[in-house]
Amino acid sequence: MSKRFISINGNDFTAMVLAGADNLRRNVDRVNGLNVFPVPDGDTGTNMNLTITSGVEELKKKPSSHIGKAAEALSKGLLMGARGNSGVILSQLFRGFAKHVHDLESVNVQQFASALQQGVETAYKAVVKPVEGTILTVSKEAAKHAMQYKRSGDLLDLMQEVLDKANEALARTPEQLPVLKQVGVVDAGGQGLVCVYEGFVAALNGSDANDDYAMMDTKLDMGSFVPVMNLAKEAHAHLPAQAHLATEDIEFGYCTEFMLTIQPGKVKGQTFNEGKFRNQLSKLGDSLLVVADEELVKVHIHAEYPGEVMNQAMRYGALSRIKIENMRDQHSHILEDYTEAYATSESAFVETVAPAAFSKPYGFVAVALGDGITDILSSVGVDVVLSGGQTMNPSTEDIVNAVNRIDAQTIFVLPNNSNIILAAQQAVELVEEKVLVVIPSKSIPQGLAAILAFQENVDAQANAEAMKNSLQRIKSGQVTYAVRDTNMDGIEIKQGHFIGIQDGRIVSSQPNLIDACKKLLEEMIEEGNEIVTILTGEDAKEEETEELEAFIQTLYPDMEVELHPGGQPLYAYLFSVE
């Protein structure tokens, strides 16, 4: 017989979150498979999994039987780790939840339902134009039902009702969002949330999902402050080794660990070779460890951009057991702990320095994937280029860290992908002493147009308006291959065919890459356009590129063609027309 929960405390809530995160992790591929676009880098499940993994890590650092404190820790971790639109919305759902239970040691049925409702309200406020038939709808319908549920005072009963209603709402998403009905799937983000709720119910039912929580408690009972307490017995002991290193001198700031399950043929042309893989990763950091057998690869590396490491790995298969730790943050905490134990008026090694004036008024952060594109962005003035894009979206924390590296008063952020805009906007409230302005660019061509519209001698507001206006003057296109059969926008799409996408809409599907490119360009180019820019991907062939140039010059003799090596994976060509 399952236990009755008249109320739950922080320990119960933590067990629920761990079970929800574990269930989502096990269903990542299933959620990814629901992405509407049949492109090879649909990653809603991956984004949500990385987001909740970040929340769990923070929860493990600050365990508490006080549900308000536990929820606050979860919220902080989710906020910093949020990736992609669904990840950001998930973080906002639990941010509102945490605000509602902030002062409570435990919650009953009514309080839990109210916390779910506040989570929904917070999430809706975070999205500029909420779309029904998404994770928002699933969360809203489930919370609304919870608020109306009066038949029992048992949290397990309530959570089962919430899960059932969430499933019902998920099943209706194709009726609310035509593109889902057209493709024949339910919303991916909504499915991810259902996976989390399934874990919640399993934990309250007393299933094996609680084992991880029991293990966590055992480890934490050892006492995370023992080293400091032992050191305190030795008056004025020698400085710890870490104190001889300045935090800012740590070159590669993130300890990154994960398991790679090799999936032969996941990306065309990519065959796993341990030596080659180790060499690829060695260029991205130090302290590298790669241990491989026939199917699994264990990776440990200290890297400045963990996303780049995981991008390389995802070419060969699926990631799991991902752990990313900020070593600069850990180092700072070590110094703080030492200072608390030893600081006296005679010996202090942490010096407070007044913040210096910024060296320049403006700075830029952009998101891109591909060495060529990175070089182009850097050449036109971007200070930090974060590795990412449609695949492996950078987290809110990644964006905040990039902003903090730039010595400028006002920082413009160019997400260059619609699935990164929310995470960038969420970073605005986390940056102190600087002004963060998000230019909602949805593609690399838009991002380039925006930065080229920037003028050094114009104030920030005028620049922001000019950069946003520039986005409307660019038409963006990209070509990749379909990973499944489907029908979208009246176009029959076959797995393995090449699809041309203009500003988020599929306009062509052809068995041949060049035919797909030509059809896309015919859709994009109109009378009055003057320039076509082509960014070649890492798989683009020189003879095919020359054929495309000849096609444009023959059909549109007045058009100027600019060709640049982009180096982006998965997308053989990126086009812009203006």
Side-chain angles (χ1 to χ4, degrees):
M1 179 181 295
S2 59
K3 177 182 176 182
R4 284 181 56 82
F5 287 89
I6 304 303
S7 64
I8 59 171
N9 61 18
N11 293 335
D12 302 319
F13 179 70
T14 299
M16 293 166 64
V17 171
L18 290 175
D22 184 62
N23 193 49
L24 177 58
R25 177 188 60 78
R26 288 186 280 107
N27 285 278
V28 164
D29 290 341
R30 175 187 173 196
V31 177
N32 282 342
L34 295 173
N35 283 280
V36 172
F37 265 28
V39 294
D41 50 2
D43 53 2
T44 297
T46 301
N47 283 337
M48 294 184 74
N49 180 44
L50 290 174
T51 299
I52 202 167
T53 297
S54 176
V56 166
E57 289 302 316
E58 191 67 25
L59 195 52
K60 288 181 177 180
K61 291 178 186 176
K62 300 177 180 178
S64 177
S65 61
H66 188 290
I67 193 170
K69 294 179 180 178
E72 182 180 13
L74 173 68
S75 175
K76 178 184 176 183
L78 292 172
L79 180 69
M80 299 304 292
R83 297 173 186 264
N85 292 344
S86 294
V88 172
I89 292 171
L90 183 68
S91 74
Q92 293 296 316
L93 288 172
F94 285 101
R95 189 179 188 186
F97 183 100
K99 287 181 179 178
H100 190 80
V101 303
H102 184 269
D103 298 322
L104 302 176
E105 292 189 10
S106 61
V107 296
N108 58 26
V109 166
Q110 290 75 26
Q111 291 166 327
F112 188 88
S114 296
L116 290 178
Q117 179 61 32
Q118 185 162 342
V120 170
E121 293 169 3
T122 302
Y124 267 84
K125 290 177 183 177
V127 181
V128 177
K129 295 180 180 179
V131 177
E132 298 302 333
T134 65
I135 181 176
L136 287 170
T137 306
V138 174
S139 64
K140 179 179 68 175
E141 293 299 319
K144 180 181 178 181
H145 183 69
M147 291 291 289
Q148 297 170 346
Y149 183 69
K150 305 291 185 182
R151 295 194 299 273
S152 171
D154 186 355
L155 261 297
L156 174 57
D157 288 347
L158 174 71
M159 197 61 237
Q160 184 63 63
E161 289 287 325
V162 167
L163 174 59
D164 291 345
K165 184 57 67 173
N167 270 310
E168 291 176 17
L170 178 65
R172 289 195 298 270
T173 55
E175 303 301 322
Q176 298 169 298
L177 204 55
V179 68
L180 296 178
K181 187 173 185 179
Q182 186 178 359
V183 178
V185 296
V186 296
D187 178 66
Q191 180 63 73
L193 182 62
V194 166
C195 289
V196 174
Y197 286 169
E198 287 173 344
F200 282 12
V201 171
L204 292 172
N205 259 323
S207 69
D208 291 339
N210 285 327
D211 289 348
D212 285 341
Y213 180 55
M215 290 176 62
M216 185 191 81
D217 271 347
T218 301
K219 294 176 182 177
L220 290 169
D221 283 345
M222 295 170 61
S224 58
F225 295 105
V226 167
V228 174
M229 292 169 64
N230 289 341
L231 285 170
K233 296 178 181 179
E234 304 175 25
H236 303 288
H238 294 292
L239 291 175
Q242 292 87 349
H244 297 285
L245 171 69
T247 301
E248 59 268 23
D249 289 339
I250 298 175
E251 183 178 3
F252 300 105
Y254 296 89
C255 178
T256 305
E257 297 181 50
F258 57 85
M259 297 293 295
L260 166 64
T261 302
I262 300 171
Q263 298 174 334
K266 178 180 179 182
V267 178
K268 290 184 177 180
Q270 297 292 339
T271 302
F272 183 81
N273 176 280
E274 183 178 349
K276 180 181 177 182
F277 179 66
R278 184 179 287 105
N279 184 56
Q280 289 170 336
L281 297 192
S282 67
K283 301 173 183 178
L284 303 176
D286 60 15
S287 299
L288 174 64
L289 173 67
V290 176
V291 181
D293 61 18
E294 293 182 359
E295 297 180 354
L296 290 175
V297 184
K298 170 69 176 179
V299 175
H300 171 281
I301 186 173
H302 293 172
E304 186 60 19
Y305 299 105
E308 291 185 359
V309 177
M310 289 186 283
N311 278 330
Q312 288 284 1
M314 287 179 67
R315 298 168 187 263
Y316 304 106
L319 306 186
S320 62
R321 301 185 186 179
I322 298 169
K323 185 175 74 170
I324 301 175
E325 295 180 336
N326 186 329
M327 295 190 296
R328 295 188 182 95
D329 189 43
Q330 291 178 331
H331 183 264
S332 297
H333 286 190
I334 289 171
L335 296 186
E336 289 171 4
D337 289 342
Y338 181 83
T339 303
E340 290 173 5
Y342 292 98
T344 68
S345 59
E346 300 175 316
S347 64
F349 60 90
V350 177
E351 189 175 337
T352 303
V353 180
F358 294 107
S359 64
K360 59 181 181 177
Y362 299 118
F364 295 89
V365 172
V367 181
L369 200 57
D371 293 341
I373 295 174
T374 297
D375 290 342
I376 293 170
L377 288 168
S378 298
S379 71
V380 294
V382 174
D383 298 275
V384 178
V385 180
L386 284 173
S387 179
Q390 181 62 26
T391 184
M392 193 51 66
N393 305 146
S395 68
T396 298
E397 184 175 21
D398 291 335
I399 296 169
V400 170
N401 289 338
V403 168
N404 287 336
R405 290 172 57 193
I406 301 173
D407 188 15
Q409 177 65 62
T410 300
I411 313 292
F412 294 99
V413 178
L414 304 168
N416 297 336
N417 187 281
S418 60
N419 207 34
I420 302 173
I421 294 173
L422 276 181
Q425 291 171 338
Q426 190 162 262
V428 172
E429 59 188 273
L430 299 174
V431 174
E432 299 177 356
E433 299 180 356
K434 297 180 182 180
V435 177
L436 186 59
V437 180
V438 177
I439 307 299
S441 54
K442 297 181 180 180
S443 66
I444 294 297
Q446 282 192 349
L448 285 169
I451 195 168
L452 291 174
F454 170 80
Q455 297 183 55
E456 185 76 37
N457 59 348
V458 175
D459 65 47
Q461 183 175 351
N463 263 317
E465 291 177 3
M467 294 168 77
K468 289 176 181 178
N469 289 336
S470 73
L471 305 183
Q472 311 307 316
R473 298 194 293 269
I474 293 290
K475 286 181 281 189
S476 302
Q478 52 194 358
V479 177
T480 186
Y481 59 90
V483 296
R484 65 170 182 271
D485 293 349
T486 187
N487 187 297
M488 294 192 68
D489 301 315
I491 297 175
E492 191 72 23
I493 299 168
K494 296 294 184 182
Q495 181 179 351
H497 281 196
F498 294 92
I499 51 178
I501 306 169
Q502 179 184 342
D503 294 318
R505 182 174 62 91
I506 295 178
V507 299
S508 70
S509 177
Q510 303 288 335
N512 178 273
L513 170 62
I514 296 302
D515 289 343
C517 291
K518 290 178 179 178
K519 178 65 175 174
L520 173 61
L521 288 167
E522 288 173 350
E523 291 285 336
M524 293 178 66
I525 299 175
E526 298 176 325
E527 185 177 351
N529 293 145
E530 299 177 346
I531 302 173
V532 176
T533 302
I534 304 175
L535 297 173
T536 59
E538 63 180 10
D539 297 325
K541 298 178 180 178
E542 185 175 351
E543 59 270 22
E544 292 176 331
T545 303
E546 291 174 352
E547 184 178 346
L548 278 178
E549 285 187 276
F551 167 78
I552 297 171
Q553 291 167 350
T554 300
L555 207 60
Y556 310 99
D558 296 330
M559 293 289 291
E560 179 183 346
V561 179
E562 292 187 0
L563 179 66
H564 303 282
Q568 69 276 1
L570 303 180
Y571 291 82
Y573 293 98
L574 300 180
F575 302 104
S576 69
V577 175
E578 54 186 308

